């Protein structure tokens, strides 16, 4: 049986793929379990300096499997899905959600737990909790307003409407959109570019942003100075490689 979330290691980065394409990668407890195991493994894998999460087949994910909800699926513990996404969010390395096609409700909650979203131009986003008389428990009420602002989050949550990639970029949900035909190449180049930079700095920056998110500016500035992690073990090597490289004519 194929993995529900597959892992492919590339040069310096890892691709995690939601792998239930016949069901539009609809999310189940079993899929989350596999995602969680990958996140645990990646946390201490120093060979991986960037993680990309995307979906197999036609889309990123159509969201939480409604059939599983109707059948009363049981996670291992209350808050288990949310905890899993928080673990992914706190990985000490950049995590990119690469979204094409559908990205609805639970899938959007998964994507929002990444550091940022890059969208193919065929991507569509939406929160349909209100359509099904559900309330969010995977992080929508906390991450969506932090990403797009409270009023915009309310509009998306109250209307249960869909937005396209251009609108997602306009409101700050996605960082930028890419033509679907160039999406794979763009994601690979982006991940390689991030992986080429300092893993020490990436981890330190994520911790710094996490510690000061939403706080007063002066407190954040003081934290940045007083809690600085200094420089990484490869600083001198990186600077030397830059300063000694041949100059172009």
């Amino acid at each position: 049986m194929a993995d529900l979330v597959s892992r492919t290691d590339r040069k310096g980065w890892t691709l995690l793929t939601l792998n239930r394409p016949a069901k539009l990668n609809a999310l189940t407890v079993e899929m989350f379990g596999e995602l969680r195991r990958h996140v645990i493994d990646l946390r201490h894998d120093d060979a991986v300096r960037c993680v990309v999460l995307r979906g197999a087949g036609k889309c990123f994910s159509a969201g939480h499997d409604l059939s599983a909800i109707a059948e009363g699926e049981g996670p291992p513990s209350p808050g288990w899905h949310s905890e899993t996404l928080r673990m992914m969010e706190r990985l000490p390395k950049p995590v990119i959600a690469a979204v094409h096609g559908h990205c609805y409700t639970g899938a959007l909650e998964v994507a929002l737990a990444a550091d940022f979203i890059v969208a193919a131009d065929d991507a569509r986003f939406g929160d349909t909790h209100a359509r099904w008389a559900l309330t969010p428990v995977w992080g929508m009420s906390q991450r969506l307003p932090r990403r797009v602002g409270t009023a915009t989050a309310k509009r998306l949550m109250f209307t249960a409407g869909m937005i396209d990639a251009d609108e997602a970029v306009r409101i700050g949900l996605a960082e930028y959109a890419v033509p679907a035909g160039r999406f794979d190449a763009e994601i690979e180049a982006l991940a390689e570019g991030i992986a080429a930079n300092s893993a020490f700095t990436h981890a330190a920056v994520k911790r710094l942003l996490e510690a000061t998110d939403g706080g007063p500016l002066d407190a954040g500035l003081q934290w940045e100075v007083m809690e600085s992690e200094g420089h990484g073990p490869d600083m001198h090597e990186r600077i030397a490689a830059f300063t000694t490289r041949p100059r172009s004519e």
Side-chain angles (χ1 to χ4, degrees), residues 22-146:
K23 296 293 186 179
L24 299 180
N25 302 318
L27 300 163
T28 62
V29 167
E30 292 76 19
M31 287 183 75
F32 256 78
E34 292 193 17
L35 176 62
R36 188 184 183 102
R37 287 193 288 274
H38 285 306
V39 167
I40 290 170
D41 290 342
L42 286 165
R43 183 168 187 84
H44 301 292
D45 191 338
D46 293 337
V48 178
R49 298 186 295 279
C50 180
V51 178
V52 174
L53 180 66
R54 64 177 307 179
K58 297 179 180 180
C59 67
F60 182 76
S61 169
H64 196 169
D65 191 317
L66 292 176
S67 297
I69 296 174
E71 292 168 4
E73 67 174 5
S77 62
W80 180 80
H81 290 90
S82 181
E83 180 184 72
T84 300
L85 295 181
R86 186 67 170 137
M87 290 166 65
M88 184 177 77
E89 186 173 46
R90 299 186 73 179
L91 277 174
K93 51 198 78 189
V95 179
I96 304 164
V99 174
H100 73 292
H102 308 315
C103 183
Y104 302 152
T105 318
L108 180 54
E109 290 176 296
V110 172
L112 283 166
D115 290 304
F116 59 88
I117 297 169
V118 176
D121 61 3
D122 64 355
R124 288 178 61 81
F125 302 85
D127 174 28
T128 61
H129 280 102
R131 186 175 299 172
W132 313 118
L134 298 169
T135 55
V137 291
W138 295 1
M140 185 75 78
S141 70
Q142 300 306 303
R143 293 190 180 94
L144 185 60
R146 284 173 168 80

Side-chain angles (χ1 to χ4, degrees), residues 168-191:
V169 173
R170 187 191 72 80
I171 65 176
L173 178 60
E175 287 303 300
Y176 60 96
V178 182
R182 293 198 292 107
F183 194 54
D184 291 352
E186 172 62 24
I187 294 302
E188 182 173 354
L190 176 63

Side-chain angles (χ1 to χ4, degrees), residues 161-249:
M162 303 299 150
I163 61 172
D164 61 17
D166 288 341
E167 176 68 1
V169 173
R170 187 191 72 80
I171 65 176
L173 178 60
E175 287 303 300
Y176 60 96
V178 182
R182 293 198 292 107
F183 194 54
D184 291 352
E186 172 62 24
I187 294 302
E188 182 173 354
L190 176 63
E192 288 180 352
I194 290 173
N197 291 324
S198 167
F200 171 88
T201 300
H202 291 328
V205 166
K206 287 195 69 168
R207 285 189 288 267
L208 178 62
L209 293 172
E210 171 80 18
T212 60
D213 182 38
L217 175 60
D218 286 334
L221 292 171
Q222 184 176 26
W223 184 277
E224 185 182 72
V225 172
M226 300 304 295
E227 301 296 328
S228 172
E229 298 184 37
H231 60 76
D234 56 348
M235 182 196 74
H236 295 293
E237 178 183 348
R238 286 176 172 273
I239 292 175
F242 176 78
T243 57
T244 60
R245 67 179 181 178
R247 295 180 179 275
S248 58
E249 295 296 331

